[in-house]
Amino acid sequence: PVDDLSKDPPEEIEVSDLVLPGMSIVSLRETEQVDNYPIILEAGEYTEISADGKAIIATCYGYPHITLRSAEGKQYVRVGFVPLCMKSADLMEARLNIFPALPRAAVPGLSEVLLMLEQSGIIYGVDRAAIQFALDTVEETGLPVRNSVIARGKAALDGKDAYLRFEVEVGPLPGKLLGNGSIDYRERLMFVGVSSGQILATKVSAMPGSAGMNVAGEIIAAMPGKDLLVKVSDDTRYNDDDNTVRATAAGVLSLVNTDTIRVSSRQKIDGDVDYSTGNIRSQNAVDISGSILPDFMVSTKGNLVVGGNVQAAKINSHGNVVVKGGILGPGAEVRVQGDADINYIEQGLLIAGGNILIRSSGYYSDIQAAGNIHCPEKAKLVGGEIVAGGSVIVGQLGAAAGKPVNVAAGTDPRRYRRYRVLQQEYQEALTSVRKWYHRFGKKQKPKGSIAAIEEKLEKLERELSGFNLIPGTPEDSLGEKQHFFSAATISVFGCLAAESIIRIGNETVVIDRDMKNCKVSMDLASGAITFLSM
């Protein structure tokens, strides 16, 4: 039925049972003068007005119905339409509508329906049994069957990426997702001893995947698995013949971001890094039992474990970092190429090329991970800025009495830093140009330095308008449909405080009220940020 478009009740008229594409459903008689007999034709979905404007034509197989209404001295004739078959937007499913036949007609048979489906472009995955069942149901009950699924496509099976299968126990990665959906928060194994010549890992080759097909018979290409470039240090060797990684010397193993393997010696420092030790610059893995005191620096090629705190000190590690205590105070900077596993951070900077695990809390800190940021359910992040290339899992996010926290998931940290610089440069240039025009007026032609600033402003506008923050996309691809979606999520087990600033990829939203136990994600169809209860 068509919605009533006037104050007068419409009159609905059944015209036919099943009509064919191109068939005229309603037409004005040639003997009538349209100007003197004001009849207005209105085409609904799956119908169209003929070229001469005097008929309504079906555009597919289906069942029409006509609604008549009067308004302002004119008669309106509207044709609604229920199509025989409907294809989903992604062409992976087709549904059937079958109505009982009028006394002068008959319900089509299976062969007729199959022919009509083929002519409607539905040629793959057709379920004959489902069609016959629908036809039999209409015959037996005298009632219509609507939206019966009668064809399904076959989804493409994407290939599997190449990966390293480790032949030694390397322990869990920080925040590893387990098979039951829970998170593994065990401490990773550090300083795993290996011997010279020992096989450390074997590269498992990528799998190509298999193509699919939609109901229209169109091939859906599979995404092939990505190859893996194995990175090794001087104390390891990768053999292309058997895809193995072997140690060339005895030492301890460092696994960085699942693709980089290093073997080095273990350097042990009992106590604190202070004036008695000086700064530490090591080609090895380093085990510090105490803290790193203010203004000192530790740089390692392998893994680093700090038994105490990082107190306004600096760390730069090419491996993974575990801080048993906290990262404390302005001036505290931890930069790590692999994963970082810490207890807490306050007013510090933490940048990781892998995942970050924060076991207790983070207050007013700058936290950036190319991978995921994971926190146990009781952990909280308050104030500051948290940016993850992957997903964020946390107990509490923000606090009513604190400054708003800015959290981004599915956002490349390196690009985000560049994006913030571009934004600042844009605002400074815009302010300069506005001040100049305010002083001299718009009629004055800019010249000299202000003309150069205007040129810079235009360049920044172009760069920002196309700047895509989603990892793995071309940097200048913002606005392109194939590069707009991020599957990353932000999961909050406790309270998500009002005024928190949430970003997924290139989309942001400010939370207007406190929320609890929610998962924030991006809707694939609209690209909007959505909230679901957990």
Side-chain angles (χ1 to χ4, degrees):
V2 178
D3 292 337
D4 186 1
L5 302 178
S6 72
K7 295 182 180 178
D8 297 330
E11 179 185 1
E12 188 172 303
I13 304 172
E14 190 177 42
V15 177
S16 173
D17 51 344
L18 181 62
V19 301
L20 311 180
M23 180 181 290
S24 176
I25 303 170
V26 173
S27 61
L28 299 176
R29 290 177 295 185
E30 293 293 340
T31 57
E32 293 174 342
Q33 300 295 320
V34 176
D35 292 338
N36 297 328
Y37 190 77
I39 297 178
I40 309 299
L41 299 181
E42 298 180 326
E45 194 174 9
Y46 304 107
T47 65
E48 63 184 14
I49 303 292
S50 62
D52 60 8
K54 295 183 179 181
I56 297 180
I57 308 297
T59 60
C60 66
Y61 294 101
Y63 302 88
H65 53 83
I66 297 174
T67 301
L68 306 178
R69 66 180 178 86
S70 299
E72 299 178 353
K74 297 179 180 180
Q75 185 77 16
Y76 290 85
V77 180
R78 180 180 179 85
V79 176
F81 203 83
V82 178
L84 176 76
C85 56
M86 299 178 296
K87 292 174 279 191
S88 62
D90 61 1
L91 298 179
M92 292 302 289
E93 186 177 89
R95 294 174 179 263
L96 185 70
N97 295 307
I98 293 289
F99 282 27
L102 296 179
R104 59 181 173 77
V107 174
L110 175 61
S111 60
E112 294 175 273
V113 173
L114 291 173
L115 179 60
M116 287 185 281
L117 291 177
E118 182 179 345
Q119 292 173 344
S120 300
I122 300 172
I123 61 176
Y124 178 81
V126 176
D127 187 342
R128 292 178 175 233
I131 297 172
Q132 188 63 63
F133 179 79
L135 296 174
D136 293 343
T137 300
V138 172
E139 290 283 11
E140 293 170 6
T141 65
L143 298 173
V145 171
R146 290 176 175 263
N147 295 320
S148 176
V149 178
I150 49 83
R152 285 190 172 92
K154 183 181 74 172
L157 181 62
D158 289 343
K160 294 183 178 180
D161 294 344
Y163 66 95
L164 285 176
R165 183 182 68 238
F166 286 90
E167 312 299 344
V168 295
E169 178 60 45
V170 295
L173 298 177
K176 181 181 179 181
L177 186 65
L178 301 177
N180 61 1
S182 64
I183 303 295
D184 189 345
Y185 289 113
R186 290 177 298 164
E187 290 187 7
R188 73 182 299 157
L189 295 177
M190 302 288 272
F191 311 123
V192 176
V194 297
S195 58
S196 178
Q198 182 177 352
I199 297 178
L200 307 178
T202 302
K203 175 184 171 181
V204 178
S205 300
M207 301 294 290
S210 59
M213 183 170 288
N214 61 31
V215 296
E218 299 169 338
I219 295 175
I220 303 172
M223 185 70 69
K226 297 178 182 177
D227 194 15
L228 176 70
L229 177 62
V230 181
K231 304 170 187 175
V232 295
S233 68
D234 293 339
D235 291 326
T236 55
R237 181 184 297 115
Y238 175 65
N239 190 329
D240 288 315
D241 295 332
D242 58 5
N243 290 334
T244 59
V245 179
R246 295 175 182 267
T248 59
V252 293
L253 177 68
S254 295
L255 166 64
V256 183
N257 297 336
T258 72
D259 65 350
T260 303
I261 299 176
R262 293 190 177 95
V263 173
S264 58
S265 299
R266 178 183 181 182
Q267 182 177 350
K268 185 85 167 69
I269 297 176
D270 293 319
D272 298 333
V273 174
D274 54 18
Y275 287 103
S276 64
T277 63
N279 294 328
I280 305 296
R281 295 180 176 86
S282 176
Q283 299 295 313
N284 303 314
V286 177
D287 183 2
I288 301 170
S289 64
S291 298
I292 305 175
L293 299 190
D295 299 324
F296 285 92
M297 182 270 292
V298 174
S299 175
T300 69
K301 290 292 185 181
N303 292 340
L304 169 65
V305 173
V306 180
N309 299 320
V310 179
Q311 303 174 5
K314 291 179 171 56
I315 288 176
N316 185 8
S317 173
H318 290 201
N320 308 291
V321 168
V322 173
V323 179
K324 303 284 188 179
I327 301 171
L328 303 172
E333 296 182 7
V334 176
R335 301 174 188 270
V336 49
Q337 289 188 9
D339 302 321
D341 181 347
I342 70 169
N343 189 19
Y344 62 92
I345 179 171
E346 295 182 8
Q347 301 184 62
L349 169 67
L350 173 58
I351 299 177
N355 300 322
I356 290 178
L357 173 57
I358 302 174
R359 296 182 177 274
S360 175
S361 60
Y363 289 94
Y364 301 101
S365 297
D366 187 351
I367 303 167
Q368 303 173 25
N372 302 315
I373 296 177
H374 289 177
C375 308
E377 292 188 17
K378 293 184 179 180
K380 62 178 69 174
L381 300 176
V382 177
E385 191 165 71
I386 295 95
V387 182
S391 296
V392 177
I393 298 176
V394 66
Q396 176 181 324
L397 203 52
K403 293 182 180 179
V405 61
N406 190 339
V407 182
T411 303
D412 187 307
R414 290 178 180 270
R415 291 190 192 179
Y416 188 72
R417 293 194 291 270
R418 170 66 178 157
Y419 179 71
R420 296 296 294 270
V421 171
L422 290 174
Q423 280 186 319
Q424 183 176 351
E425 291 179 355
Y426 177 81
Q427 289 300 325
E428 291 173 353
L430 184 62
T431 300
S432 298
V433 169
R434 284 176 173 173
K435 286 182 177 179
W436 191 90
Y437 278 111
H438 181 73
R439 180 179 180 184
F440 296 103
K442 292 187 177 181
K443 293 183 179 180
Q444 182 74 19
K445 185 177 180 180
K447 56 183 178 180
S449 61
I450 197 63
I453 293 176
E454 273 199 330
E455 185 177 339
K456 178 182 179 181
L457 188 63
E458 292 177 2
K459 181 180 178 182
L460 288 169
E461 284 179 344
R462 289 193 300 270
E463 190 167 358
L464 284 168
S465 66
F467 204 89
N468 196 332
L469 294 172
I470 298 175
T473 63
E475 190 173 285
D476 59 350
S477 63
L478 182 62
E480 298 178 12
K481 289 184 178 180
Q482 68 271 34
H483 298 306
F484 87 99
F485 178 70
S486 172
T489 60
I490 299 173
S491 300
V492 184
F493 292 101
C495 179
L496 171 56
E499 298 186 11
S500 297
I501 303 166
I502 299 296
R503 173 185 288 273
I504 304 285
N506 299 297
E507 299 297 316
T508 59
V509 65
V510 179
I511 306 302
D512 59 0
R513 58 185 174 85
D514 287 353
M515 305 177 71
K516 288 187 177 181
N517 302 324
C518 63
K519 175 176 282 189
V520 189
S521 61
M522 177 182 286
D523 180 69
L524 177 59
S526 66
I529 292 177
T530 59
F531 297 81
L532 295 175
S533 297
M534 293 195 299

